[in-house]
Amino acid sequence: MALPAPLRAVQHHLRTAQEHEKRDPVVAYYCRLYAMQTGMKLDSKTPECRQFLVKLMDQLETMKKELKNEESITQEVVGNAHIENYALKMFLYADNEDRSGRFHKNMIKSFYTASLLIDVLAVFGELTEENIQHRKYARWKAANIHNCLKNGETPQSGPSGMEDEEEADEEGASGFSGPGPSHYGSFRGGAPSENYEDQGFGAGPGPGPGIGFSPGPSPSGPPSGPPSINYNNIQVPPGAHAPANTPADLPPPSEPSKPVPTPRTMPAVDPALFNAQPQGGVQLSADDFTRAQKYCKYAGSALQYEDVSTAIQNLQKALKLLTTGKE
């Protein structure tokens, strides 16, 4: 069934779900859940929208039954960690390519997909300021690099030039359902106007038939403009690798017979945690246990991508919280 025009704002979230159907069903599920919750806010009354959303609910219910043994579906905190880690990996992969001066369609797609997955985090509650910054920056980079390549220009790495362009675009800018006017023009509503079907940018077909589903927490809706942010202060950890199955059009190494291994910088382990025992008098609240559980789930999710550094950092946070009651 074709996506009704009033629901066009979620077309790329649905396309991302379709792309991850086999690669990562959890990502596909939550992308569709976001699309359904947002679609209910956009238009749930006109016959074509209602019919589409009912089919989407049916599809979600079917997926939920198929994934009934998946913790990322049955436990919200695990699902939140899964989507957030995946979005961050996409962001860091694209950012590393950008800062290395490797500009190509796959990194554009990774920036933009990261921003869509940050949208999806709204199903778990209000976005953090850090997530809002990453989303805004990722969409700007996707639009900026796309337009530069389209015009035969060499993009600038990093956030250089973002504030100048935003000042030029201040009039008429109206949120972030897609980057705003002028240089953002080809990204209005989402993807570049150029045909990037093979890169996942095109408006793909709507989800198939299929589900009564009780939606989770309502999303905050399409973002409506966070406060002004200094993008030169955004901290991006170096040395991250792409998530599993993320394509990369990388140039061949200059000496293929002598590959140079990429060193990993491991965080220092606090020796006090080796024989960690709860300190006397420490009273842990229910919220403390929830946060500790979340750190452990983040660590487990990071290990799915062989991200040892992030796993160690989160496990140390959980240990410190459980032994001292402090973060």
Side-chain angles (χ1 to χ4, degrees):
M1 181 178 177
L3 181 69
L7 305 181
R8 191 176 177 186
V10 298
Q11 65 179 333
H12 297 292
H13 302 87
L14 291 172
R15 180 57 180 265
T16 300
Q18 186 181 53
E19 291 175 338
H20 287 79
E21 197 80 61
K22 295 182 179 179
R23 179 192 304 181
D24 193 326
V26 171
V27 170
Y29 174 83
Y30 282 113
C31 283
R32 290 191 175 114
L33 178 58
Y34 172 84
M36 189 274 293
Q37 290 184 355
T38 304
M40 293 289 286
K41 287 189 168 188
L42 293 171
D43 188 343
S44 61
K45 295 183 179 180
T46 59
E48 61 173 352
C49 289
R50 188 171 184 82
Q51 182 182 9
F52 183 89
L53 291 171
V54 167
K55 286 184 177 295
L56 186 55
M57 289 180 193
D58 290 342
Q59 188 176 24
L60 280 165
E61 189 62 29
T62 299
M63 291 184 71
K64 193 173 184 181
K65 290 177 181 178
E66 292 173 349
L67 300 171
K68 62 182 179 181
N69 296 323
E70 175 61 60
E71 277 193 329
S72 294
I73 301 299
T74 59
Q75 296 187 39
E76 184 176 290
V77 67
V78 186
N80 189 349
H82 186 101
I83 300 301
E84 189 166 16
N85 273 287
Y86 195 92
L88 184 59
K89 293 298 179 185
M90 295 289 284
F91 179 94
L92 293 176
Y93 160 71
D95 187 72
N96 285 344
E97 291 294 281
D98 173 51
R99 293 171 191 267
S100 299
R102 295 188 290 261
F103 306 107
H104 47 82
K105 290 180 179 180
N106 283 330
M107 61 96 75
I108 295 173
K109 178 185 175 182
S110 291
F111 265 132
Y112 190 67
T113 301
S115 75
L116 296 176
L117 293 177
I118 294 174
D119 285 342
V120 171
L121 289 174
V123 305
F124 303 106
E126 187 175 350
L127 297 181
T128 66
E129 183 63 27
E130 182 181 26
N131 285 333
I132 292 171
Q133 289 186 29
H134 282 144
R135 177 178 64 187
K136 189 175 180 182
Y137 180 75
R139 283 192 178 152
W140 173 78
K141 287 302 297 187
N144 176 266
I145 295 171
H146 164 75
N147 289 334
C148 285
L149 296 181
K150 185 178 179 181
N151 296 330
E153 302 170 357
T154 301
Q156 287 184 297
S157 295
S160 178
M162 181 169 191
E163 291 180 335
D164 292 340
E165 291 188 15
E166 282 203 322
E167 287 176 9
D169 289 340
E170 216 166 79
E171 290 187 15
S174 57
F176 300 96
S177 59
S182 73
H183 69 285
Y184 286 9
S186 63
F187 260 62
R188 269 192 185 280
S193 55
E194 182 179 332
N195 183 7
Y196 276 3
E197 284 291 329
D198 60 326
Q199 299 299 325
F201 275 101
I211 31 194
F213 178 77
S214 298
S218 297
S220 55
S224 57
S228 178
I229 299 167
N230 181 357
Y231 290 87
N232 289 297
N233 291 333
I234 291 180
Q235 299 298 315
V236 180
H241 57 275
N245 298 318
T246 299
D249 292 335
L250 302 180
S254 55
E255 294 183 19
S257 60
K258 297 180 180 180
V260 179
T262 302
R264 290 189 181 183
T265 302
M266 296 298 175
V269 178
D270 184 353
L273 297 176
F274 287 143
N275 298 302
Q277 296 292 332
Q279 295 180 1
V282 173
Q283 297 292 326
L284 297 176
S285 66
D287 188 51
D288 290 332
F289 285 113
T290 299
R291 290 204 307 276
Q293 183 187 37
K294 191 171 184 178
Y295 286 134
C296 292
K297 299 300 182 184
Y298 280 156
S301 183
L303 289 176
Q304 291 181 356
Y305 302 110
E306 300 178 2
D307 188 348
V308 178
S309 177
T310 299
I312 291 174
Q313 289 174 346
N314 281 289
L315 289 173
Q316 288 190 106
K317 288 178 181 178
L319 276 173
K320 184 177 180 180
L321 178 59
L322 293 172
T323 55
T324 68
K326 300 177 182 178
E327 294 189 71

